[in-house]
Amino acid sequence: MSLIKVTELSCGYEREPVISGLTFKVDRGDYLCIVGENGSGKTTLMKTLLGLIPPLSGTIETGDGLTRTGIGYLPQRTAVQQDFPASCAEIVRSGFQGRKKPFSFLTKEEKQQADAVMDRLGIRNLAGKCFRELSGGQMQRVLLARALCATETLLLLDEPVAGLDPDAAKEMYAAVSTLHKEGIAVIMITHDIDAALQYATHILHVGETVFFDTKACYATHPGKPEPAEKKEVLS
């Protein structure tokens, strides 16, 4: 059974749909990139998948042992996040809170798991540093570690490389790719068509044109946007 199965989904705000009639699924081993124009509803869709806003119509089913609290989420970066006065270790450990009862303390095992996640992403050296003193790339890796503490099954990432320099973006993509190869399914919103075609197994394009299939099919889809390099050559 699929981790997430979406059928005839419409989502939006105040009964005004941004996306209508959307059907797709995500299985274990999938790396789905969601692409589309600005304002096409990509973030609205992700928030609906997470249960942060209710669907207007249609269904979202989870299966294969996945629950809504077992999804790791990395939202878009905000100024509030960047100025958060906490240590990196505290940020990472907070990823466990969604799976715990309110006001409960972390166990010794959970703290050890958080340390292991930081080791896994190569940021253990940042554990004691203040989050707001980090570079943009370091912040995103810490937030990725936080999301990873919430799941070993499915990560939802909303523009994880937005605002990063090319080297930091490359490192972020590599980190996510490694996690995918280790068995974690990924749903990522991105404007980077080149990255989508490099890393994804499937593409979901939303907007005036709606498309869901493998990246091989998307690569030959007549309505897909051109990669960045091709746009520059044509201009």
Side-chain angles (χ1 to χ4, degrees):
M1 185 177 181
S2 299
L3 293 173
I4 291 182
K5 183 179 180 182
V6 174
T7 306
E8 291 296 319
L9 178 69
S10 294
C11 55
Y13 301 91
E14 298 180 352
R15 299 184 181 181
E16 291 294 328
V18 179
I19 296 174
S20 299
L22 189 61
T23 296
F24 68 95
K25 65 184 180 69
V26 177
D27 297 329
R28 288 186 182 272
D30 284 353
Y31 189 144
L32 172 67
C33 278
I34 302 175
V35 300
E37 300 79 12
N38 289 332
S40 59
K42 300 184 296 295
T43 296
T44 300
L45 170 60
M46 186 165 282
K47 289 181 177 179
T48 305
L49 294 178
L50 288 162
L52 300 177
I53 58 176
L56 300 178
S57 63
T59 60
I60 302 172
E61 301 173 78
T62 57
D64 203 7
L66 180 69
T67 64
R68 292 287 179 90
T69 58
I71 297 174
Y73 176 43
L74 175 55
Q76 291 184 17
R77 280 199 302 163
T78 65
V80 173
Q81 286 176 332
Q82 294 177 131
D83 198 39
F84 200 69
S87 73
C88 294
E90 290 171 327
I91 296 288
V92 173
R93 290 171 182 175
S94 69
F96 287 108
Q97 294 302 325
R99 296 192 280 174
K100 299 175 68 65
K101 294 180 180 180
F103 309 112
S104 59
F105 294 100
L106 290 179
T107 65
K108 179 181 178 180
E109 289 74 19
E110 287 168 334
K111 292 178 180 179
Q112 290 173 340
Q113 288 177 43
D115 290 343
V117 167
M118 287 187 281
D119 283 332
R120 192 172 175 184
L121 292 176
I123 57 171
R124 184 68 177 277
N125 62 312
L126 303 178
K129 292 188 176 182
C130 183
F131 181 71
R132 61 186 176 190
E133 296 175 356
L134 304 182
S135 68
Q138 289 172 330
M139 284 183 175
Q140 286 301 82
R141 290 174 77 87
V142 168
L143 293 174
L144 179 60
R146 180 185 185 275
L148 196 57
C149 283
T151 187
E152 280 292 328
T153 306
L154 176 64
L155 286 171
L156 269 62
L157 314 174
D158 191 350
E159 294 284 359
V161 304
L164 301 185
D165 63 60
D167 288 340
K170 184 178 179 180
E171 290 177 359
M172 189 66 178
Y173 280 132
V176 174
S177 179
T178 297
L179 294 175
H180 173 245
K181 291 174 182 177
E182 292 174 353
I184 297 177
V186 176
I187 301 177
M188 177 190 291
I189 293 175
T190 182
H191 283 95
D192 189 341
I193 301 300
D194 292 322
L197 292 175
Q198 179 177 352
Y199 295 106
T201 61
H202 295 74
I203 305 288
L204 172 63
H205 185 284
V206 295
E208 292 184 7
T209 300
V210 177
F211 175 93
F212 170 69
D213 210 322
T214 64
K215 71 174 180 182
C217 291
Y218 184 72
T220 59
H221 184 58
K224 78 175 183 66
E226 292 289 346
E229 291 85 356
K230 291 187 178 180
K231 287 183 179 179
E232 292 173 358
V233 171
L234 291 174
S235 63

